[in-house]
Amino acid sequence: MHLPLIYLRHKNKYSLECDFLEDLATNLQNLNLNMRTPIATEQFVQILKENRGILFKIINTYCKDEEDRKDLEQEIIINLWKSLQTFSGDIKLSTWIYKVAFNVSVSFYRKDALRKAKTSSLSVSIFNETDFGDPKEDLNANHVLLHDFINQQDEFNREILILYLEDLSYKEIAEIVGITESNVGTKINRLKKKLKEYFNHLKQDSIWN
Amino acid sequence: MELDDLKDTWNKGKKQIESRLTLNERHIHDLIIQKSQSRFTALLGISIIGRNLALLYMGVSVWFAYTMIDELAYSIPAFIGAAAMLFSFIQHRSLKQPDFNSMDTLTLQKCISQFRMHTAKMGKYDAAIVLVWIVTLTPIILKQRFRLSIYTDPANFITFFSVVLLISILVILFSGKIYHKWDAELAESENDLKKIEVFEED
């Protein structure tokens, strides 16, 4: 869905393989529409829709308090929207979303100035949940334990862990986090070892209890 | 249980969340239409505006000093105030907006920690610079706008310097508390930066 946007902004740099998108882009150009038209807004909402699951997970990983969560949601949306204006298309859209979402979440988590400067709370969330029951109830035990394990990690290891679970390559994780590929490998191996110990520890506890 | 075995669990959980989530599109549209500014970016923006205002304040001092260039008792202090503001601008010239889009997580966090360390360190100087600027500019303004001469009228001279003395005493009395706050912020930011460096090297 974002390809026409890229085409409009970088028509000399990118080519489109799909005739439909090319036609759509041409039509938009003919209508003299630019990036900040309602169509771009719709496309932005579509991007958010397609990635609502991971955004929800990242936000909930870094923020436990409900009001803080709404605040973080807003920060992420604003930063995604603003950075869309400078999105060059030289990285994958999903990588761009991870980058912005983690950058904002980690900043928020590290108790930086934005949290201290909080003056009012927002009452509206960007997410509507159709079922307000405890989400954990529907999920299997491993999923709950995995989340508990993630929450035990510091803010940077959480990011690496989530990106790994999202099946990103070491190269992509290195690019988003800002460490070398070999360092990503070392840290993931450590996390694997820690996870094993965590599950072994739980097993032992359940035997004794 | 292996981490790789949990990838499937993770994805199933994500799909399940997606199936029960919809977006509050109206709220998203409202956020975009209002062009709400990110809170952190706004804070940095204020600091950068403050830095640029120092140049404006310098210009004000220079202009007033120039208008009374022959009366050295007025113009020299005003030039000193202008120099102090220039010093402030130079000290803050390294301030830049962090880019949530292009920076990786660690670079961004380093940038934020360094920004906080910078403002905590410079806070002490900034307060003194503003005080110097006000004290050096006030005599000229009083002279030009209100025809009050500080240096030729003993009563005005005593009143002005009594006020300056009083403000200085208050600043000294409260500086301990303010300095303690800045020092605590500085220590916290240094710890944050250290944590990032340790994570990077480990």
Side-chain angles (χ1 to χ4, degrees), chain B residues 190-201:
Chain B
E190 281 172 345
N191 281 338
D192 280 348
L193 189 60
K194 206 174 172 184
K195 192 179 168 188
I196 299 166
E197 285 165 354
V198 168
F199 180 83
E200 225 174 3
E201 289 161 13

Side-chain angles (χ1 to χ4, degrees), chain A residues 41-42 44-45 48-49 52-53 56-57 71 74-75 78-79 81 83 86 96 99 103-104 107 110 113-114 116 124-131 133 138-139 142-143 150 155-156 159-160 162 164-167 175-179 183 187 190 192 195-196, chain B residues 1-4 6-7 9-14 16-25 27-29 31-32 35-41 43 99-109 112-113 116 185 188 191-193 195-196 198-202:
Chain A
T41 312
E42 293 307 325
F44 178 63
V45 172
L48 294 179
K49 264 185 197 171
R52 65 190 185 281
F56 185 83
K57 270 184 173 267
D71 227 10
Q74 181 175 336
E75 288 290 329
I78 294 167
N79 279 292
W81 171 251
S83 64
T86 53
W96 164 72
K99 204 173 211 176
N103 273 342
V104 178
S107 304
R110 286 170 69 84
L114 68 93
K116 287 173 182 169
V124 188
S125 170
I126 62 157
F127 298 112
N128 293 323
E129 282 186 75
T130 50
D131 180 0
D138 300 338
L139 303 169
N142 280 345
H143 191 270
I150 292 171
E155 62 272 36
F156 303 121
E159 182 174 350
I160 291 173
I162 294 173
Y164 183 73
L165 289 167
E166 284 288 305
D167 228 9
E175 190 187 303
I176 294 170
V177 179
I179 50 176
N183 206 348
K187 288 183 192 303
R190 272 192 211 139
K192 283 179 177 176
L195 182 80
K196 232 179 207 172
Chain B
M1 182 62 71
E2 293 286 341
L3 186 57
D4 290 304
L6 290 169
K7 277 187 181 178
T9 308
W10 171 266
N11 283 321
K12 274 182 187 162
K14 198 170 75 177
Q16 211 162 26
I17 287 167
E18 280 171 0
S19 68
R20 57 201 290 165
L21 274 187
T22 55
L23 286 182
N24 186 344
E25 290 184 35
H27 182 46
I28 294 168
H29 279 280
L31 283 175
I32 293 167
K35 291 179 183 168
S36 305
Q37 197 178 18
S38 161
R39 197 165 280 144
F40 186 73
T41 315
L43 274 173
D99 189 345
F100 287 81
N101 181 23
S102 66
M103 284 178 172
D104 57 67
T105 304
L106 293 185
T107 307
L108 177 76
Q109 294 311 315
I112 291 171
S113 294
R116 291 182 62 198
E185 279 178 14
E188 195 186 330
N191 281 338
D192 280 348
L193 189 60
K195 192 179 168 188
I196 299 166
V198 168
F199 180 83
E200 225 174 3
E201 289 161 13
D202 187 24

Side-chain angles (χ1 to χ4, degrees), chain A residues 164-205:
Chain A
Y164 183 73
L165 289 167
E166 284 288 305
D167 228 9
L168 267 74
S169 67
Y170 283 12
K171 193 183 171 200
E172 286 170 310
I173 297 173
E175 190 187 303
I176 294 170
V177 179
I179 50 176
T180 60
E181 271 183 72
S182 61
N183 206 348
V184 171
T186 309
K187 288 183 192 303
I188 286 173
N189 283 335
R190 272 192 211 139
L191 285 166
K192 283 179 177 176
K193 205 176 158 192
K194 269 167 114 178
L195 182 80
K196 232 179 207 172
E197 285 167 7
Y198 173 71
F199 274 98
N200 285 339
H201 184 72
L202 287 173
K203 213 183 267 178
Q204 279 175 351
D205 276 0

Side-chain angles (χ1 to χ4, degrees), chain B:
Chain B
M1 182 62 71
E2 293 286 341
L3 186 57
D4 290 304
D5 301 332
L6 290 169
K7 277 187 181 178
D8 188 44
T9 308
W10 171 266
N11 283 321
K12 274 182 187 162
K14 198 170 75 177
K15 293 278 173 224
Q16 211 162 26
I17 287 167
E18 280 171 0
S19 68
R20 57 201 290 165
L21 274 187
T22 55
L23 286 182
N24 186 344
E25 290 184 35
R26 192 176 173 167
H27 182 46
I28 294 168
H29 279 280
D30 286 347
L31 283 175
I32 293 167
I33 289 164
Q34 287 164 10
K35 291 179 183 168
S36 305
Q37 197 178 18
S38 161
R39 197 165 280 144
F40 186 73
T41 315
L43 274 173
L44 286 183
I46 290 166
S47 298
I48 291 166
I49 289 168
R51 175 195 66 187
N52 295 338
L53 276 178
L55 271 187
L56 178 70
Y57 298 150
M58 183 195 81
V60 170
S61 282
V62 168
W63 184 78
F64 272 105
Y66 180 74
T67 58
M68 295 187 75
I69 195 82
D70 295 332
E71 297 194 52
L72 297 181
Y74 291 93
S75 58
I76 288 176
F79 278 125
I80 292 170
M85 279 297 166
L86 182 63
F87 172 77
S88 172
F89 175 79
I90 291 168
Q91 288 298 308
H92 292 298
R93 76 186 184 284
S94 61
L95 287 180
K96 57 178 181 183
Q97 291 273 14
D99 189 345
F100 287 81
N101 181 23
S102 66
M103 284 178 172
D104 57 67
T105 304
L106 293 185
T107 307
L108 177 76
Q109 294 311 315
K110 273 190 215 165
C111 176
I112 291 171
S113 294
Q114 281 160 353
F115 173 84
R116 291 182 62 198
M117 282 164 62
H118 178 85
T119 49
K121 274 181 193 166
M122 291 300 139
K124 298 171 185 178
Y125 299 111
D126 287 341
I129 285 169
V130 170
L131 194 66
V132 167
W133 183 71
I134 292 170
V135 168
T136 55
L137 194 62
T138 307
I140 295 189
I141 292 173
L142 289 175
K143 173 90 172 168
Q144 285 199 344
R145 303 281 172 233
F146 303 101
R147 304 280 169 216
L148 287 173
S149 176
I150 300 288
Y151 299 113
T152 52
D153 186 328
N156 288 342
F157 182 85
I158 291 167
T159 309
F160 177 71
F161 280 98
S162 298
V163 172
V164 170
L165 192 65
L166 183 69
I167 292 170
S168 302
I169 290 169
L170 287 174
V171 167
I172 290 164
L173 283 175
F174 288 103
S175 62
K177 199 176 174 184
I178 297 165
Y179 279 22
H180 179 72
K181 182 180 158 261
W182 278 325
D183 286 340
E185 279 178 14
L186 182 61
E188 195 186 330
S189 306
E190 281 172 345
N191 281 338
D192 280 348
L193 189 60
K194 206 174 172 184
K195 192 179 168 188
I196 299 166
E197 285 165 354
V198 168
F199 180 83
E200 225 174 3
E201 289 161 13
D202 187 24

